[in-house]
Amino acid sequence: MRTINLIVIHCSATRCNKDFPVEALEACHRARGFNGIGYHYYITKDGQLHLTRSEDVQGAHAKHYNKNSIGICYEGGLDEKGKPADTRTPAQKRTLLALLKSLRVDFPDAEILGHRDLPWVKKACPCFDVREYQGI
Ligand SMILES: [Zn+2]
């Protein structure tokens, strides 16, 4: 297993009133030249958790930080007009919290950050303050 010291949370940067199913995410990432979905986990609006990449395999989601991290993405992150917004549904929040708690057990020392919390990232991703998960 790789050393994991970081868990990075992302949004798909798609509008909350549009569906962006896991198949569309995969097509998008393959079109960018990735070998499948770059995140390890994808949480759709219905709260379903999709295992999109083995934890053993390095992801493609956070430049310079892929080697020792796990990437989680939730569907959404933009409001109806395309502006960055915390669009997590109650089901997504429940799933994300459960996932993070379980990853905490496997990787107790890993830091949980939002994509935008990494240095030099100019995006709003994941469009909410992940400090709400500090101390879980
Ligand atoms: Zn991101």
Side-chain angles (χ1 to χ4, degrees):
M1 185 61 197
R2 300 180 292 139
T3 300
I4 301 296
N5 55 26
L6 181 63
I7 295 165
V8 184
I9 302 176
H10 300 263
C11 64
S12 63
T14 52
R15 297 181 185 211
C16 59
N17 54 334
K18 294 241 170 87
D19 287 338
F20 193 61
V22 68
E23 296 80 12
L25 175 64
E26 174 153 14
C28 177
H29 278 198
R30 286 197 184 276
R32 287 166 64 183
F34 298 168
N35 178 25
I37 292 172
Y39 312 112
H40 296 88
Y41 297 99
Y42 186 52
I43 304 171
T44 38
K45 286 185 281 185
D46 58 4
Q48 201 185 325
L49 178 65
H50 304 265
L51 314 181
T52 46
R53 181 178 289 242
S54 166
E55 288 179 1
D56 294 338
V57 180
Q58 178 178 317
H61 58 92
K63 206 175 179 186
H64 307 305
Y65 290 90
N66 287 310
K67 191 165 186 278
N68 299 116
S69 69
I70 284 177
I72 304 169
C73 179
Y74 75 93
E75 178 188 9
L78 300 179
D79 66 14
E80 292 88 345
K81 295 193 173 98
K83 278 209 174 138
D86 180 1
T87 65
R88 290 172 299 159
T89 64
Q92 281 177 312
K93 287 186 180 179
R94 278 195 299 275
T95 301
L96 181 56
L97 181 61
L99 173 61
L100 289 171
K101 281 184 171 171
S102 127
L103 291 172
R104 261 271 160 270
V105 173
D106 293 337
F107 311 107
D109 301 322
E111 191 176 5
I112 298 171
L113 288 179
H115 191 185
R116 68 183 183 189
D117 302 321
L118 297 175
W120 307 298
V121 173
K122 294 277 194 292
K123 302 173 174 186
C125 176
C127 304
F128 71 95
D129 190 347
V130 304
R131 278 179 294 185
E132 72 180 73
Y133 295 115
Q134 265 179 6
I136 62 162

PDB file of all heavy atoms in Angstrom, residues 57-69:
ATOM      1  N   VAL A  57      -3.720   2.566  -5.958  1.00  0.00           N
ATOM      2  CA  VAL A  57      -3.238   3.203  -7.178  1.00  0.00           C
ATOM      3  C   VAL A  57      -3.253   4.717  -6.998  1.00  0.00           C
ATOM      4  O   VAL A  57      -4.238   5.291  -6.520  1.00  0.00           O
ATOM      5  CB  VAL A  57      -4.131   2.810  -8.376  1.00  0.00           C
ATOM      6  CG1 VAL A  57      -3.633   3.474  -9.659  1.00  0.00           C
ATOM      7  CG2 VAL A  57      -4.177   1.297  -8.535  1.00  0.00           C
ATOM      8  N   GLN A  58      -2.145   5.336  -7.371  1.00  0.00           N
ATOM      9  CA  GLN A  58      -2.058   6.793  -7.284  1.00  0.00           C
ATOM     10  C   GLN A  58      -3.167   7.438  -8.115  1.00  0.00           C
ATOM     11  O   GLN A  58      -3.471   6.975  -9.211  1.00  0.00           O
ATOM     12  CB  GLN A  58      -0.681   7.227  -7.791  1.00  0.00           C
ATOM     13  CG  GLN A  58      -0.484   8.720  -7.785  1.00  0.00           C
ATOM     14  CD  GLN A  58       0.909   9.112  -8.257  1.00  0.00           C
ATOM     15  OE1 GLN A  58       1.899   8.504  -7.871  1.00  0.00           O
ATOM     16  NE2 GLN A  58       0.993  10.133  -9.078  1.00  0.00           N
ATOM     17  N   GLY A  59      -3.759   8.488  -7.597  1.00  0.00           N
ATOM     18  CA  GLY A  59      -4.821   9.173  -8.312  1.00  0.00           C
ATOM     19  C   GLY A  59      -4.297  10.245  -9.250  1.00  0.00           C
ATOM     20  O   GLY A  59      -3.082  10.426  -9.410  1.00  0.00           O
ATOM     21  N   ALA A  60      -5.228  10.939  -9.888  1.00  0.00           N
ATOM     22  CA  ALA A  60      -4.907  12.071 -10.761  1.00  0.00           C
ATOM     23  C   ALA A  60      -5.946  13.141 -10.458  1.00  0.00           C
ATOM     24  O   ALA A  60      -6.978  13.231 -11.113  1.00  0.00           O
ATOM     25  CB  ALA A  60      -4.963  11.650 -12.222  1.00  0.00           C
ATOM     26  N   HIS A  61      -5.701  13.889  -9.376  1.00  0.00           N
ATOM     27  CA  HIS A  61      -6.715  14.848  -8.939  1.00  0.00           C
ATOM     28  C   HIS A  61      -6.126  16.108  -8.303  1.00  0.00           C
ATOM     29  O   HIS A  61      -6.811  17.116  -8.187  1.00  0.00           O
ATOM     30  CB  HIS A  61      -7.677  14.187  -7.938  1.00  0.00           C
ATOM     31  CG  HIS A  61      -6.997  13.637  -6.722  1.00  0.00           C
ATOM     32  ND1 HIS A  61      -6.834  14.385  -5.579  1.00  0.00           N
ATOM     33  CD2 HIS A  61      -6.394  12.440  -6.488  1.00  0.00           C
ATOM     34  CE1 HIS A  61      -6.177  13.648  -4.680  1.00  0.00           C
ATOM     35  NE2 HIS A  61      -5.894  12.472  -5.210  1.00  0.00           N
ATOM     36  N   ALA A  62      -4.872  16.052  -7.877  1.00  0.00           N
ATOM     37  CA  ALA A  62      -4.286  17.201  -7.192  1.00  0.00           C
ATOM     38  C   ALA A  62      -2.806  17.273  -7.562  1.00  0.00           C
ATOM     39  O   ALA A  62      -1.980  16.522  -7.048  1.00  0.00           O
ATOM     40  CB  ALA A  62      -4.439  17.068  -5.673  1.00  0.00           C
ATOM     41  N   LYS A  63      -2.508  18.179  -8.468  1.00  0.00           N
ATOM     42  CA  LYS A  63      -1.144  18.333  -8.974  1.00  0.00           C
ATOM     43  C   LYS A  63      -0.133  18.409  -7.829  1.00  0.00           C
ATOM     44  O   LYS A  63      -0.354  19.164  -6.874  1.00  0.00           O
ATOM     45  CB  LYS A  63      -1.075  19.609  -9.813  1.00  0.00           C
ATOM     46  CG  LYS A  63      -0.012  19.593 -10.865  1.00  0.00           C
ATOM     47  CD  LYS A  63      -0.115  20.851 -11.729  1.00  0.00           C
ATOM     48  CE  LYS A  63       1.000  20.839 -12.778  1.00  0.00           C
ATOM     49  NZ  LYS A  63       1.031  22.085 -13.533  1.00  0.00           N
ATOM     50  N   HIS A  64       0.923  17.655  -7.946  1.00  0.00           N
ATOM     51  CA  HIS A  64       2.020  17.571  -6.967  1.00  0.00           C
ATOM     52  C   HIS A  64       1.629  16.827  -5.688  1.00  0.00           C
ATOM     53  O   HIS A  64       2.475  16.624  -4.822  1.00  0.00           O
ATOM     54  CB  HIS A  64       2.546  18.956  -6.549  1.00  0.00           C
ATOM     55  CG  HIS A  64       2.922  19.832  -7.709  1.00  0.00           C
ATOM     56  ND1 HIS A  64       3.806  19.430  -8.675  1.00  0.00           N
ATOM     57  CD2 HIS A  64       2.516  21.074  -8.057  1.00  0.00           C
ATOM     58  CE1 HIS A  64       3.942  20.398  -9.571  1.00  0.00           C
ATOM     59  NE2 HIS A  64       3.159  21.392  -9.214  1.00  0.00           N
ATOM     60  N   TYR A  65       0.372  16.460  -5.534  1.00  0.00           N
ATOM     61  CA  TYR A  65      -0.056  15.823  -4.280  1.00  0.00           C
ATOM     62  C   TYR A  65      -0.716  14.459  -4.503  1.00  0.00           C
ATOM     63  O   TYR A  65      -1.341  13.923  -3.602  1.00  0.00           O
ATOM     64  CB  TYR A  65      -1.021  16.740  -3.521  1.00  0.00           C
ATOM     65  CG  TYR A  65      -0.330  17.947  -2.965  1.00  0.00           C
ATOM     66  CD1 TYR A  65      -0.232  19.110  -3.716  1.00  0.00           C
ATOM     67  CD2 TYR A  65       0.282  17.919  -1.708  1.00  0.00           C
ATOM     68  CE1 TYR A  65       0.435  20.228  -3.230  1.00  0.00           C
ATOM     69  CE2 TYR A  65       0.945  19.019  -1.214  1.00  0.00           C
ATOM     70  CZ  TYR A  65       1.018  20.168  -1.974  1.00  0.00           C
ATOM     71  OH  TYR A  65       1.686  21.265  -1.487  1.00  0.00           O
ATOM     72  N   ASN A  66      -0.564  13.907  -5.672  1.00  0.00           N
ATOM     73  CA  ASN A  66      -1.247  12.637  -5.956  1.00  0.00           C
ATOM     74  C   ASN A  66      -0.577  11.431  -5.307  1.00  0.00           C
ATOM     75  O   ASN A  66      -1.236  10.457  -4.962  1.00  0.00           O
ATOM     76  CB  ASN A  66      -1.338  12.417  -7.468  1.00  0.00           C
ATOM     77  CG  ASN A  66      -2.351  13.338  -8.112  1.00  0.00           C
ATOM     78  OD1 ASN A  66      -3.493  13.439  -7.648  1.00  0.00           O
ATOM     79  ND2 ASN A  66      -1.943  14.015  -9.178  1.00  0.00           N
ATOM     80  N   LYS A  67       0.736  11.526  -5.151  1.00  0.00           N
ATOM     81  CA  LYS A  67       1.498  10.349  -4.743  1.00  0.00           C
ATOM     82  C   LYS A  67       1.022   9.781  -3.410  1.00  0.00           C
ATOM     83  O   LYS A  67       0.858   8.567  -3.268  1.00  0.00           O
ATOM     84  CB  LYS A  67       2.982  10.713  -4.655  1.00  0.00           C
ATOM     85  CG  LYS A  67       3.906   9.524  -4.494  1.00  0.00           C
ATOM     86  CD  LYS A  67       5.357   9.939  -4.794  1.00  0.00           C
ATOM     87  CE  LYS A  67       6.274   8.735  -4.782  1.00  0.00           C
ATOM     88  NZ  LYS A  67       6.690   8.352  -3.438  1.00  0.00           N
ATOM     89  N   ASN A  68       0.781  10.651  -2.451  1.00  0.00           N
ATOM     90  CA  ASN A  68       0.470  10.185  -1.100  1.00  0.00           C
ATOM     91  C   ASN A  68      -0.931  10.587  -0.642  1.00  0.00           C
ATOM     92  O   ASN A  68      -1.179  10.770   0.546  1.00  0.00           O
ATOM     93  CB  ASN A  68       1.506  10.711  -0.113  1.00  0.00           C
ATOM     94  CG  ASN A  68       2.901  10.220  -0.441  1.00  0.00           C
ATOM     95  OD1 ASN A  68       3.776  10.996  -0.763  1.00  0.00           O
ATOM     96  ND2 ASN A  68       3.096   8.912  -0.414  1.00  0.00           N
ATOM     97  N   SER A  69      -1.826  10.725  -1.590  1.00  0.00           N
ATOM     98  CA  SER A  69      -3.162  11.189  -1.214  1.00  0.00           C
ATOM     99  C   SER A  69      -4.267  10.302  -1.755  1.00  0.00           C
ATOM    100  O   SER A  69      -4.050   9.470  -2.639  1.00  0.00           O
ATOM    101  CB  SER A  69      -3.388  12.626  -1.710  1.00  0.00           C
ATOM    102  OG  SER A  69      -3.484  12.641  -3.117  1.00  0.00           O
TER     103      SER A  69
END
